[in-house]
Amino acid sequence: MADYTTIDNPAKHFNTKLYTGNGSTQSITGVGFQPDWTWTKKRNGTTGHRLVDAVRGVTKALFTNGTNTESTEANGLTAFASDGYALGTDGNYNNSSDTYVSWNWLGANGTTSNGDGSITATVSANQTAGFSIVSWTHDGGNSTIGHGLGVAPKMIITKERNSTGSWNTFHDTTGNGHRLVLQGTNAKISTSVWNSTSPTSSVFSFNDGLTSTMIAYCFAEKQGYSKFGGWTGTGQSSGPFIYTGFRPAFLSWKMTSSTENWYINDNKREPFNDDAMTVLYPNLTNADGALNDEIDLLSNGFRINGTNSAHNTDGATYIYWAFAEHPFVTAGTKAAGTAR
């Protein structure tokens, strides 16, 4: 019997939500589940990317475009709800007539104490979708932290909460001897922050030399739902095709061999493949931008087009992370998703 996908409805675990601010309070519904991690960005103006999760608490924001410490925003995202979340009057989330996007992930809708590593962590883990939020207090040494996924994560995004510091990011493609920084354009950086040790099915290794309160967002790969990989640019107008096994609803990528921005595209801000791709930049406060020589999102992956250095410099290496709108096949069927 064929090995079909284990997640038939990705929207039960990840969903993009667009909304317009009203300058007052409002409830954002239609997410489809109670989020545990929400990443919000104003689309028509310059503001920071705001990350809020249920483990740290709904009023606690972090910003991917900087090294800032955690900030309390009492009138930003004020509560998670069964089908979305509530907003206060903070203009970074809800300014009248401004447009916003939020990317939402489902954790466990609760936390457990995880003692798998040398440091006990507080974890909200969705093993079905391969996503967990991990909070711990680091001891400044070579430590291990339990992630709760039951399989080795392919990507881990970490941030110090109580002091300034980089968004140190592990990606399976760049390996345990390198880090990427979500707030910068840097190429991959040689590092010992992962203790030269790849994550296991129970823990990841971490050493930033500091005693800090930490947060990590961990991602394992799930067939038909998520994919973490890379490609090499060709410099040709018809570039490589990258197979994911699903039609992407969210695609983020970064050049790793040289300096370049991070990029995010999704199927709600741009439901069709056009001549220019709508993007936001995790390392910048910029509004929605248009990337020429777009990447076409297809039923089973994505196609690189054009020679833009953002995604197709000859010989350059890139990493990506993606989540599904619809799997290429669903369990027990041969029905495929469609291109945009």
Side-chain angles (χ1 to χ4, degrees):
M1 183 175 179
D3 180 20
Y4 292 113
T5 180
T6 58
I7 296 181
D8 286 347
N9 188 355
K12 291 182 177 180
H13 304 275
F14 168 80
N15 205 358
T16 300
K17 180 66 181 177
L18 306 182
Y19 66 92
T20 301
N22 67 3
S24 180
T25 60
Q26 65 169 319
S27 294
I28 304 301
T29 60
V31 172
F33 53 84
Q34 179 175 314
D36 288 284
W37 183 35
T38 293
W39 177 338
T40 302
K41 176 68 178 75
K42 183 187 290 188
R43 301 179 55 198
N44 64 331
T46 57
T47 61
H49 292 251
R50 278 159 162 80
L51 275 58
V52 174
D53 64 68
V55 175
R56 291 181 297 117
V58 292
T59 63
K60 305 297 184 181
L62 288 167
F63 315 92
T64 64
N65 49 279
T67 61
N68 310 55
T69 59
E70 183 178 83
S71 177
T72 298
E73 298 185 329
N75 294 308
L77 196 156
T78 58
F80 288 116
S82 61
D83 189 32
Y85 49 89
L87 295 176
T89 58
D90 190 318
N92 294 297
Y93 300 81
N94 194 24
N95 196 51
S96 180
S97 301
D98 282 341
T99 56
Y100 298 82
V101 59
S102 70
W103 302 293
N104 303 275
W105 285 262
L106 174 67
N109 285 169
T111 63
T112 59
S113 178
N114 186 302
D116 290 341
S118 61
I119 298 176
T120 299
T122 300
V123 177
S124 177
N126 178 350
Q127 290 191 346
T128 299
F131 170 63
S132 67
I133 306 167
V134 181
S135 175
W136 78 100
T137 299
H138 199 65
D139 59 7
N142 297 327
S143 305
T144 55
I145 298 95
H147 52 68
L149 293 176
V151 295
K154 295 282 190 179
M155 185 172 178
I156 304 171
I157 302 170
T158 70
K159 180 68 177 74
E160 297 162 52
R161 298 171 55 188
N162 63 337
S163 58
T164 59
S166 289
W167 287 85
N168 289 320
T169 301
F170 168 86
H171 195 283
D172 186 64
T173 302
T174 51
N176 61 42
H178 293 91
R179 65 186 172 103
L180 297 166
V181 291
L182 195 58
Q183 82 280 358
T185 62
N186 310 61
K188 64 181 181 181
I189 302 165
S190 295
T191 188
S192 59
V193 73
W194 318 119
N195 295 331
S196 300
T197 304
S198 295
T200 72
S201 60
S202 58
V203 301
F204 63 91
S205 298
F206 190 82
N207 176 28
D208 67 357
L210 300 173
T211 54
S212 307
T213 54
M214 299 292 304
I215 196 73
Y217 305 106
C218 304
F219 306 90
E221 200 167 87
K222 294 295 180 178
Q223 183 181 357
Y225 171 73
S226 61
K227 193 74 174 175
F228 305 83
W231 73 88
T232 300
T234 65
Q236 299 176 2
S237 58
S238 180
F241 166 75
I242 292 86
Y243 177 82
T244 60
F246 53 78
R247 180 174 62 203
F250 172 101
L251 175 66
S252 179
W253 71 96
K254 169 78 174 75
M255 183 193 286
T256 61
S257 53
S258 187
T259 57
E260 182 56 80
N261 289 319
W262 290 80
Y263 296 89
I264 296 177
N265 175 255
D266 61 68
N267 64 334
K268 298 295 176 63
R269 288 180 299 131
E270 185 181 2
F272 303 103
N273 291 319
D274 298 312
D275 290 337
M277 188 179 212
T278 302
V279 292
L280 283 165
Y281 318 86
N283 56 295
L284 300 174
T285 61
N286 297 37
D288 270 345
L291 183 65
N292 294 329
D293 301 332
E294 86 289 349
I295 298 174
D296 287 337
L297 303 188
L298 307 174
S299 62
N300 59 350
F302 56 96
R303 170 80 64 185
I304 309 299
N305 295 317
T307 59
N308 194 315
S309 63
H311 53 249
N312 200 23
T313 293
D314 187 21
T317 55
Y318 301 82
I319 61 97
Y320 73 88
W321 50 309
F323 297 90
E325 175 183 348
H326 194 287
F328 186 54
V329 293
T330 56
T333 76
K334 297 183 180 180
T338 57
R340 299 195 303 179

